[in-house]
Amino acid sequence: MSHSNIFLKSGFINVPLKNGIGRYVGQLQRVVLKFCKNNGSSAGMREFIETELVNFAKSNPGVVVYVKPRRHKTAVIKAEYLNGDSQWLNCRNFTKEEIQKWLELLKRQQINHDGQRIRKLWHTDHPSIQGPWTPFTFRDPQLNLATFPDERLSKSDVIASTSQDELVEMFKKQKLKELQSAN
Amino acid sequence: MLKQSLFYLGRTVLQRHNNLFRITETRNIKRWVAPTLKELYRRKERQGPEPERPRSTYLEWNYNAELYAFGKRLGEDFKVDLLRQALTQKEYSLVNSPDDDNATQIPHNYELIREGEDIINNYLKQELSKSYPEDIVNSVLEYLTTEKMLSHIGTHIGLKDIILTTEFPVDPSTISNTFKSVVSALKHSQDLPRAEQFVRDFVLSQISDKDVLEIWEPQEPYNYLTKLVQEKGLGPVEPRLCSQSASNTILRCFQVGLYSDKKLLGIGWGENVNIAKESAALDALQKLWNTNKVLRY
C-alpha cells in the first residue's frame, strides 16, 4: 500500500444483485462522452468518436452511449451504473487509445470503486465453514473408549515439582544439616 | 457558462472602446470579474443545494435507446410496445392521455402486474417445493416476494430511470409492481419458460448464499421436530447428554444428541441442556431436509 492510499476509504470487492449467479448482466448502464468540438484537449476524444465509437456501441448493446459537445470545456467521461453509482473521469489531453482503455475499465467494473482502497482481492460472507468452536471440537476420539477413573488420563500435565514435594525436600535438607552440625 | 459569457461580454466592450477611444488593452483579468463571481457564488449558496432531478429530464436522454439497451442488457428480446406498456404506470397514463376515450388512452401496466405476480409466485413455489417442505416454502416465498426485495431487484436491473410515472423519487412499491409487469411482458414477448428463467435468474438467485434457517426460524424447534418425526413414522425422539464441560463455571457447555431408533438425528450444544436440545433439533431439521445442501440450478 502506497502512501497516497492511506487516507482513502477502504472496502471490499462487492457484486451487486448476486450478479453472475443467475446470469451475468453488464453493470454499466449508460456512458456520456462530453467534449469540445474545437479545443485541442478534446482531440483524442474526437478521434475516438470518429473512429471507434460505433464499434463500441455495437459490441455493447446494453450500454446507452450519449455524446455531448460542449464549447471550451475539458473532455469528460461520465459512467452510470445499475446500482446508482456514477463515475466522472477527466479526459483532458487523452489519446484515443487511453479513452478506449478507460472505457473498457468502466464497462467491466461492477460498481464505482473510485476513491476506495480495496482491502483484499477476495471476499466472503461466510469465512468459517467449521462454525464456532466448542470444547468438543477436535476432541481426541480415544476419549470415547476410556473408562474412568483412568490413571493415565488423571495424571497431571504439570511436570514441575509441587509445593508439597518442595517442603519434603526442605525438611530433608534441614535434617541433614542438623545431623552434620551434631557430628 | 455564465462565467465565460461574462468574460466575453467584458472583452467585446473593451474592444469597442478600443476602436472608439484607442485605449490600450492590458493583459490581466478585469477587476470586476472576481467580485462578480464571488457574488454569484454567494447567491448560489443562498439558494441551497440543487434539487435532485429525474434522469429523464437531462439533456442526454433518449428513451427509445434506453428501452433497447434494457432488453439487450438482460439478454432478453422484448417487444418494444409491450415493454413500454409494462413500464407505464396507470397514473401516468391517466395524466398524459389526450382524453378519457379508451381508444386513445396510453396502455398501462395495471393488468400486467397481477399476471406477473402470478407467474413469479407459481414458479417460485414450484421450484422451492422440490427441495423444501411447505412451511419453509411459504416463508422463503414471502421473503423473496416482499416489496423490498422486488424493488431491490428492479432497481438493480435498471428500472428506476425508465419507469414512466408521475412520482419522483420513484416509490419502492412502484418499482416492485413494474418488475412484476416486466416479467409478464416477457411472457407475452416470448413464452412462459423464458419468463420463468428470468424469475429464476433474478429472484431465486437472491437466496443463493443464504441459510434457509436465517429466513425460516421455528419458535420451538424441538417440538417441531417431534411432530415432524411422528409424521414421518420414525421412532420417538430421544435426547441424550453426549458430553459436558466445565459444568459448574460460567463457561459451561453441554452437548446434546437427538436419537430416533438408536440413530443420531442431530447434535447441538449450548450453555444449558435446554438450549443444547433446541440447537440439536435445528441441526436435526437441517439434516432431515438436507437444507445444508447448496441450491444448484
Side-chain angles (χ1 to χ4, degrees):
Chain A
M1 189 173 72
S2 67
H3 264 86
S4 60
N5 290 340
I6 55 174
F7 295 117
L8 288 183
K9 193 179 70 183
S10 70
F12 291 100
I13 51 171
N14 172 18
V15 178
L17 200 71
K18 314 267 187 313
N19 193 8
I21 288 179
R23 71 178 75 166
Y24 179 79
V25 178
Q27 293 292 307
L28 180 63
Q29 62 171 339
R30 63 183 76 91
V31 64
V32 187
L33 308 178
K34 303 176 183 175
F35 66 103
C36 173
K37 282 185 183 175
N38 46 12
N39 198 308
S41 66
S42 298
M45 182 67 93
R46 286 197 301 270
E47 199 190 343
F48 174 81
I49 291 169
E50 280 163 18
T51 57
E52 298 294 333
L53 186 62
V54 175
N55 292 339
F56 177 81
K58 264 185 193 159
S59 54
N60 302 295
V63 182
V64 190
V65 182
Y66 293 104
V67 174
K68 191 180 184 187
R70 309 177 304 166
R71 261 183 217 141
H72 315 310
K73 299 261 183 150
T74 302
V76 158
I77 297 177
K78 195 187 173 206
E80 293 171 38
Y81 290 90
L82 283 177
N83 73 339
D85 279 355
S86 63
Q87 184 164 354
W88 187 92
L89 184 75
N90 186 346
C91 301
R92 186 177 176 78
N93 291 336
F94 273 21
T95 60
K96 186 182 89 178
E97 287 75 25
E98 276 175 305
I99 286 168
Q100 223 163 354
K101 188 197 82 177
W102 278 105
L103 267 183
E104 202 67 14
L105 177 114
L106 295 172
K107 190 185 90 187
R108 278 159 204 261
Q109 70 181 2
Q110 300 277 316
I111 56 172
N112 176 12
H113 278 300
D114 198 25
Q116 189 190 43
R117 175 168 58 81
I118 297 175
R119 288 202 205 174
K120 284 180 187 139
L121 293 178
W122 56 271
H123 178 67
T124 172
D125 286 338
H126 307 285
S128 169
I129 299 167
Q130 172 198 306
W133 180 89
T134 69
F136 320 115
T137 317
F138 304 133
R139 196 169 48 161
D140 186 2
Q142 257 193 342
L143 289 174
N144 293 337
L145 298 173
T147 46
F148 292 99
D150 185 303
E151 201 175 312
R152 191 177 59 82
L153 290 171
S154 307
K155 221 164 68 182
S156 168
D157 287 343
V158 185
I159 298 161
S161 54
T162 59
S163 48
Q164 190 186 351
D165 291 339
E166 275 175 32
L167 278 175
V168 170
E169 203 64 26
M170 279 163 71
F171 181 71
K172 276 181 186 170
K173 271 183 190 167
Q174 201 183 346
K175 279 284 168 198
L176 211 65
K177 255 186 194 171
E178 278 171 15
L179 276 174
Q180 278 168 354
S181 58
N183 289 339
Chain B
M1 204 52 192
L2 189 65
K3 182 175 144 191
Q4 249 159 9
S5 58
L6 279 172
F7 254 126
Y8 296 129
L9 188 73
R11 196 172 286 174
T12 47
V13 167
L14 203 73
Q15 275 166 357
R16 267 188 206 158
H17 277 250
N18 268 352
N19 295 338
L20 289 176
F21 310 113
R22 299 211 158 273
I23 301 168
T24 40
E25 189 180 350
T26 50
R27 286 197 163 207
N28 53 15
I29 298 171
K30 299 292 166 286
R31 293 200 58 181
W32 53 265
V33 172
T36 312
L37 291 180
K38 275 179 193 164
E39 176 57 26
L40 286 176
Y41 179 75
R42 242 174 271 133
R43 287 186 191 179
K44 200 178 153 197
E45 286 288 288
R46 227 177 293 144
Q47 287 294 322
E50 215 172 305
E52 208 180 326
R53 287 183 300 138
R55 184 63 178 80
S56 52
T57 60
Y58 285 26
L59 194 61
E60 58 273 21
W61 181 257
N62 180 345
Y63 192 66
N64 289 332
E66 295 282 341
L67 285 189
Y68 174 79
F70 176 77
K72 289 289 174 191
R73 193 183 300 136
L74 304 177
E76 301 288 356
D77 281 329
F78 285 99
K79 282 179 186 154
V80 181
D81 295 341
L82 269 172
L83 181 58
R84 195 188 285 264
Q85 184 188 346
L87 295 171
T88 312
Q89 305 303 309
K90 195 177 180 184
E91 300 80 41
Y92 179 89
S93 161
L94 291 177
V95 171
N96 290 286
S97 294
D99 45 43
D100 292 341
D101 185 17
N102 270 341
T104 54
Q105 202 188 25
I106 300 171
H108 55 78
N109 64 3
Y110 189 71
E111 275 98 34
L112 292 178
I113 293 171
R114 201 173 303 155
E115 197 189 353
E117 193 173 1
D118 286 345
I119 296 173
I120 294 173
N121 283 340
N122 291 342
Y123 176 70
L124 288 180
K125 205 166 228 173
Q126 177 198 326
E127 278 300 303
L128 291 168
S129 309
K130 287 179 189 168
S131 330
Y132 302 122
E134 205 185 339
D135 288 346
I136 294 190
V137 169
N138 289 338
S139 54
V140 173
L141 186 67
E142 198 184 317
Y143 170 78
L144 284 176
T145 52
T146 48
E147 186 186 292
K148 195 180 156 199
M149 175 60 87
L150 290 184
S151 68
H152 170 77
I153 297 167
T155 312
H156 280 79
I157 60 171
L159 284 178
K160 206 173 189 174
D161 292 333
I162 58 173
I163 289 179
L164 295 175
T165 174
T166 50
E167 63 196 14
F168 183 80
V170 188
D171 199 61
S173 66
T174 313
I175 300 175
S176 148
N177 284 340
T178 312
F179 178 77
K180 291 170 189 166
S181 66
V182 164
V183 170
S184 120
L186 183 59
K187 185 202 151 192
H188 291 298
S189 299
Q190 301 194 43
D191 50 3
L192 185 63
R194 194 76 194 173
E196 288 180 340
Q197 203 178 3
F198 185 83
V199 175
R200 188 191 73 181
D201 287 347
F202 290 106
V203 185
L204 197 57
S205 62
Q206 300 309 310
I207 53 164
S208 62
D209 64 348
K210 252 193 148 46
D211 190 352
V212 171
L213 289 174
E214 278 175 49
I215 301 167
W216 174 82
E217 199 174 356
Q219 288 302 311
E220 288 167 334
Y222 184 73
N223 289 345
Y224 192 90
L225 178 74
T226 46
K227 260 183 228 164
L228 188 82
V229 166
Q230 233 171 18
E231 279 167 25
K232 284 205 163 196
L234 299 169
V237 181
E238 186 191 343
R240 287 188 208 161
L241 188 62
C242 294
S243 42
Q244 54 181 325
S245 155
S247 47
N248 289 329
T249 69
I250 199 166
L251 293 171
R252 58 189 166 270
C253 186
F254 297 90
Q255 192 178 38
V256 168
L258 300 181
Y259 292 80
S260 160
D261 301 331
K262 296 194 173 176
K263 275 189 183 151
L264 185 70
L265 289 179
I267 197 158
W269 41 262
E271 61 261 43
N272 62 43
V273 176
N274 261 335
I275 291 177
K277 203 168 83 177
E278 297 292 341
S279 69
L282 279 179
D283 185 44
L285 286 174
Q286 276 191 325
K287 279 181 183 158
L288 276 178
W289 287 323
N290 264 339
T291 49
N292 267 334
K293 198 170 61 182
V294 178
L295 277 178
R296 278 180 223 285
Y297 289 108

